[in-house]
């Protein structure tokens, strides 16, 4: 990789680190992790989410019971002030990353897009 | 997203566009697409690859026959000068994108990493 590419990539890394989105995400993480009960609740929620995603990706069927359990859990964590704020921060961070990727991947998208049109 | 983040993301976009990796990928694409037979062979290869990937992701079984068909196809396209060069260019581009992503995603990786250690 050319030196210039490294340089500009590190500029993006620095800009992410200094962004409001990242700072608030970091802040919300430390608040959730600072409280043992909140942390456990959040981790439990993440585990259930991950399990369902993995099942989905493996093409396994998800039972009605599992769907209901997951929905209850979402409702529960959304009522939790710190966790819901963390989830909002994650959402914003993920949108930011999506926007960055869209910009950075433009050259490749154009290339592949032009190929499909032919 | 802050203006600065847009600016640095566009710097990366520009640097990718000007990179040797991207230029040679573009060149190889146009060479493969410039010849009807080569283009068809490559598209056919991509279709088979995609079908197998989709089956795999859906957790469907891939038959011995399909594996053999895919292997034969890989052997065939690898013997084709232009297609094998295009595949090499894609490989290099994909490595470059991987390196860029690793740099850019460092802040998030640190954050999530520190969470798991707790």
């Amino acid at each position: 990789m050319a030196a210039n590419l490294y340089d500009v990539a590190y500029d993006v890394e620095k800009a992410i680190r200094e962004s409001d989105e990242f700072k608030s995400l970091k802040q919300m993480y430390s608040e959730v992790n600072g409280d043992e009960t909140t942390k456990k609740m959040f981790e439990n929620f993440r585990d259930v989410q991950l399990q369902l995603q993995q099942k989905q990706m493996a093409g396994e069927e998800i039972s009605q019971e599992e769907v209901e359990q997951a929905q209850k859990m979402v409702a529960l964590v959304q009522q939790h002030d710190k966790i819901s704020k963390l989830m909002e921060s994650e959402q914003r961070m993920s949108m930011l990353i999506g926007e960055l990727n869209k910009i950075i991947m433009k050259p490749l998208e154009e290339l592949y897009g032009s190929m499909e049109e032919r």
Side-chain angles (χ1 to χ4, degrees), chain A:
Chain A
M1 179 154 78
N4 182 38
L5 257 166
Y6 271 110
D7 290 343
V8 290
Y10 277 110
D11 287 343
V12 175
E13 195 237 326
K14 193 164 167 266
I16 288 177
R17 224 179 267 280
E18 288 166 359
S19 68
D20 291 340
E21 287 89 343
F22 184 71
K23 281 181 193 161
S24 81
L25 178 61
K26 208 173 166 181
Q27 174 64 23
M28 291 321 301
Y29 257 121
S30 94
E31 286 195 23
V32 164
N33 281 308
D35 180 72
E36 206 51 43
T37 319
T38 309
K39 190 190 163 196
K40 282 238 168 74
M41 190 195 260
F42 184 64
E43 281 174 352
N44 196 7
F45 168 66
R46 272 292 138 88
D47 287 345
V48 171
Q49 266 197 325
L50 201 68
Q51 277 166 25
L52 288 184
Q53 270 172 21
Q54 282 167 344
K55 273 197 166 185
Q56 232 167 1
M57 280 170 65
E60 286 174 43
E61 213 175 319
I62 293 165
S63 70
Q64 185 58 29
E65 204 191 321
E66 283 175 310
V67 173
E68 279 169 23
Q69 196 208 357
Q71 282 169 343
K72 273 185 200 155
M73 218 160 196
V74 172
L76 192 74
V77 295
Q78 273 173 347
Q79 279 167 28
H80 194 292
D81 186 47
K82 282 179 184 170
I83 295 182
S84 65
K85 275 184 185 154
L86 171 55
M87 284 164 72
E88 276 168 31
S89 297
E90 285 189 327
Q91 187 75 31
R92 277 198 299 274
M93 191 69 221
S94 141
M95 277 173 63
L96 190 150
I97 297 294
E99 283 181 74
L100 291 177
N101 267 331
K102 224 169 123 185
I103 295 170
I104 292 171
M105 289 302 140
K106 234 178 183 172
L108 285 173
E109 232 177 70
E110 282 172 16
L111 191 62
Y112 287 97
S114 73
M115 212 194 164
E116 272 160 29
E117 275 164 31
R118 275 156 172 272

